[in-house]
Amino acid sequence: MSSESKSEQAYRLIRSRIDSGQYVPGYRLVLAPIAGELDMSVVPVREAIRRLEAEQLVTFERNIGAQVALVKETEYLHTMQTLALVEGAATALAAPEVSAGQIQRAREINATMRETLNAFDPQRFTELNLEFHSVLFESCPNPHILDLVHRGWNRMKVLRNSSFSFVPGRAQESVDEHEVILQMIEDRAPASEIEAVARAHRTATLDAVLAYSDEHRQTAERESVPAA
Amino acid sequence: MSSESKSEQAYRLIRSRIDSGQYVPGYRLVLAPIAGELDMSVVPVREAIRRLEAEQLVTFERNIGAQVALVKETEYLHTMQTLALVEGAATALAAPEVSAGQIQRAREINATMRETLNAFDPQRFTELNLEFHSVLFESCPNPHILDLVHRGWNRMKVLRNSSFSFVPGRAQESVDEHEVILQMIEDRAPASEIEAVARAHRTATLDAVLAYSDEHRQTAERESVPAA
DNA sequence: CCCACACAGATCGTATATCATTTCAGATAT
DNA sequence: ATATCTGAAATGATATACGATCTGTGTGGG
């Protein structure tokens, strides 16, 4: 029959809609309509929402329901900080396992990113950025840390779409830093150094976004959605 | 009525049984009996199990069911490594927020631990150890990282009870290192240094356990439960 | 004019029932 | 004797139904 369970279907649908921004932060996820749309009962939808809750993509209150997680600036900061931590560690742990072919592939992606710089296509740039880093951290031998990296990136997808914009100046720097990281991995630099650089790479993005958003405080509110 | 939902009750019951070792790794969690025992239907139990799955305390296969997660030595290594990472970061981030009173409290706990050394009560020592570190990382301003620390410790509880024993020699070193960490926090040492020391403190425990388990390979198998 | 209470609608929480899948035992054939 | 097939029992997955809880609104009294 169907290769996947209904809970899984529901999860994927809701998830994709959150990722795509169709369900904006604060959107109330009501069981019945979603179940109706997928032509199933509310039970699998419930499970899907609980899963999303565990991943912190939605918040849930008893007898009230679920809504897509609201995103404050501090939330963005915390998520980025966490991602910097786990991705830095994952990249360092993966470094010894990364093959010459993978480095080659990462270089190609980075080259494409460099080309994209002029086109100013933030969406595409972000995709490539994930691809690039994926090549570097997917070899991480610690599945727990790798899982945390994935969760962090997933969370970032939502945050990005919701309110935090792309910082123009940062892209160029980012591409340059990528090359530095690649070089260190090739040179088999000590894990602690790779970790530090990889973490700083992400922290720098965080700082850039915060600085940028400070400058444009008048246009973008601190919270994407009012608290109540 | 009841202050908590049935899913919550089921979650707590199963969780406590896993923590206490009543449900050993590999134990099959069958819905119906658990539901019967708690005098509820299987639906809330399902949700509870899905939650435990998200926390990686149980593994789940479709149409097969759930069982308490099996623990291999590599699993222990990965969990410890992850905990070292996030706890180190949490401790460093929390350090500036830690008050003199909290340091005082931590010192007292550490003193108690020192007393416990002679009594050889691993259970109690582990409890105090968690208490000590809790004081240091609970002030972490980043809730995501703090959450990861909690998850890591919860996971450790299970692993500890299941198959990995206490390493006698390590305890003494551990208390000494605690004092070093306290001193650094008091001195407002740079975050990066505190992070490094806190991480090394946990990594050292990991190494000690691995070395110990290598020595005693003949008595303790690598996997606590056969794969199939 | 404002506040409190009550009622109604919406929504979640759980139980029960039915369907689907897996597993295992026993039988049968090679 | 072993391998394979078959069917029944166990178990999970989902649907439906009902009860519980919350939220908002309107009405009555102060």
Side-chain angles (χ1 to χ4, degrees):
Chain A
M1 290 299 144
S2 60
S3 54
E4 57 178 6
S5 75
K6 301 214 169 177
S7 315
E8 190 68 24
Q9 289 174 35
Y11 172 80
R12 290 243 290 265
L13 178 79
I14 300 171
R15 174 63 186 280
S16 72
R17 287 189 176 171
I18 292 177
D19 283 350
S20 74
Q22 188 172 346
Y23 289 163
V24 297
Y27 184 93
R28 271 200 73 188
L29 298 170
V30 181
L31 297 177
I34 298 175
E37 194 178 351
L38 279 161
D39 197 36
M40 62 177 68
S41 93
V42 298
V43 183
V45 179
R46 269 182 74 86
E47 269 195 32
I49 287 180
R50 292 322 262 268
R51 239 181 99 183
L52 291 162
E53 187 198 2
E55 297 175 20
Q56 315 238 291
L57 289 173
V58 308
T59 58
F60 195 88
E61 251 179 304
R62 175 161 180 213
N63 290 323
I64 306 274
Q67 58 178 35
V68 179
L70 298 178
V71 182
K72 294 195 286 223
E73 190 174 287
T74 57
E75 169 66 14
Y76 177 82
L77 190 152
H78 291 150
T79 303
M80 260 313 232
Q81 201 175 32
T82 308
L83 183 56
L85 174 69
V86 295
E87 188 183 335
T91 304
L93 286 170
E97 319 283 336
V98 174
S99 68
Q102 286 173 307
I103 291 186
Q104 172 63 20
R105 172 156 164 63
R107 277 229 166 78
E108 285 165 17
I109 297 170
N110 203 34
T112 311
M113 290 179 79
R114 206 180 286 278
E115 289 167 22
T116 319
L117 278 178
N118 301 324
F120 195 72
D121 182 350
Q123 189 74 32
R124 178 86 184 118
F125 189 86
T126 301
E127 275 174 29
L128 287 168
N129 192 36
L130 172 54
E131 258 189 80
F132 173 86
H133 285 287
S134 294
V135 174
L136 299 190
F137 62 63
E138 282 303 340
S139 306
C140 174
N142 185 327
H144 290 167
I145 294 179
L146 190 53
D147 181 55
L148 294 180
V149 174
H150 288 148
R151 288 181 192 227
W153 272 95
N154 287 336
R155 191 102 181 85
M156 288 311 304
K157 272 188 208 160
V158 183
L159 301 194
R160 241 183 259 280
N161 285 325
S162 65
S163 66
F164 297 99
S165 50
F166 184 79
V167 181
R170 176 67 191 146
Q172 176 69 55
E173 278 174 36
S174 191
V175 181
D176 294 342
E177 287 173 19
H178 285 173
E179 183 51 39
V180 173
I181 295 174
L182 283 176
Q183 196 63 52
M184 291 181 75
I185 295 175
E186 268 185 329
D187 296 348
R188 298 284 180 242
S192 61
E193 289 180 23
I194 296 179
E195 177 172 355
V197 171
R199 189 193 291 193
H201 169 61
R202 193 143 308 290
T203 308
T205 300
L206 172 58
D207 291 340
V209 169
L210 292 184
Y212 186 77
S213 105
D214 263 345
E215 281 173 33
H216 298 69
R217 179 57 42 82
Q218 69 281 10
T219 52
E221 275 308 305
R222 282 207 150 227
E223 302 194 6
S224 64
V225 177
Chain B
M1 281 295 158
S2 61
S3 56
E4 57 177 4
S5 73
K6 301 214 171 178
S7 316
E8 190 70 21
Q9 290 174 33
Y11 172 81
R12 290 243 290 265
L13 177 79
I14 300 172
R15 175 62 187 280
S16 71
R17 289 190 174 172
I18 292 178
D19 283 349
S20 73
Q22 188 172 347
Y23 289 164
V24 298
Y27 184 92
R28 266 199 80 186
L29 299 169
V30 181
L31 297 178
I34 297 174
E37 193 177 352
L38 277 160
D39 198 37
M40 59 178 68
S41 92
V42 298
V43 184
V45 180
R46 269 183 74 84
E47 267 194 31
I49 287 181
R50 291 322 263 268
R51 239 180 101 183
L52 292 162
E53 186 198 4
E55 297 175 20
Q56 315 239 292
L57 289 174
V58 308
T59 57
F60 195 89
E61 249 181 305
R62 172 156 184 220
N63 290 323
I64 306 272
Q67 58 176 33
V68 179
L70 298 179
V71 181
K72 295 194 285 219
E73 189 173 289
T74 58
E75 170 67 14
Y76 176 83
L77 189 153
H78 291 149
T79 302
M80 258 316 230
Q81 200 174 35
T82 308
L83 182 57
L85 175 69
V86 296
E87 187 183 337
T91 304
L93 287 170
E97 320 283 336
V98 174
S99 69
Q102 286 174 306
I103 291 186
Q104 172 64 19
R105 171 156 164 64
R107 276 228 168 76
E108 285 165 17
I109 297 170
N110 203 34
T112 312
M113 289 179 78
R114 207 179 287 277
E115 287 166 24
T116 317
L117 277 179
N118 302 324
F120 195 73
D121 182 351
Q123 190 73 34
R124 178 86 183 115
F125 189 85
T126 301
E127 273 173 31
L128 287 167
N129 192 36
L130 172 54
E131 257 189 82
F132 174 85
H133 285 287
S134 294
V135 174
L136 299 191
F137 61 63
E138 282 303 340
S139 306
C140 174
N142 185 327
H144 290 167
I145 293 178
L146 190 53
D147 180 55
L148 295 180
V149 175
H150 288 147
R151 288 180 191 229
W153 272 96
N154 286 336
R155 190 102 182 86
M156 288 310 305
K157 271 188 209 160
V158 183
L159 301 195
R160 241 182 260 280
N161 284 325
S162 65
S163 66
F164 297 99
S165 50
F166 185 80
V167 182
R170 175 69 191 145
Q172 175 69 56
E173 279 174 35
S174 193
V175 242
D176 294 342
E177 287 173 19
H178 286 173
E179 183 51 39
V180 174
I181 294 174
L182 284 176
Q183 196 61 53
M184 290 181 75
I185 295 175
E186 269 185 328
D187 296 348
R188 297 286 180 242
S192 60
E193 287 179 24
I194 296 179
E195 178 172 354
V197 171
R199 191 193 290 192
H201 169 61
R202 194 142 306 292
T203 307
T205 300
L206 171 59
D207 291 340
V209 170
L210 292 184
Y212 186 78
S213 106
D214 263 346
E215 280 172 33
H216 297 69
R217 179 58 41 84
Q218 69 282 6
T219 53
E221 277 307 305
R222 282 206 150 228
E223 303 194 6
S224 64
V225 177

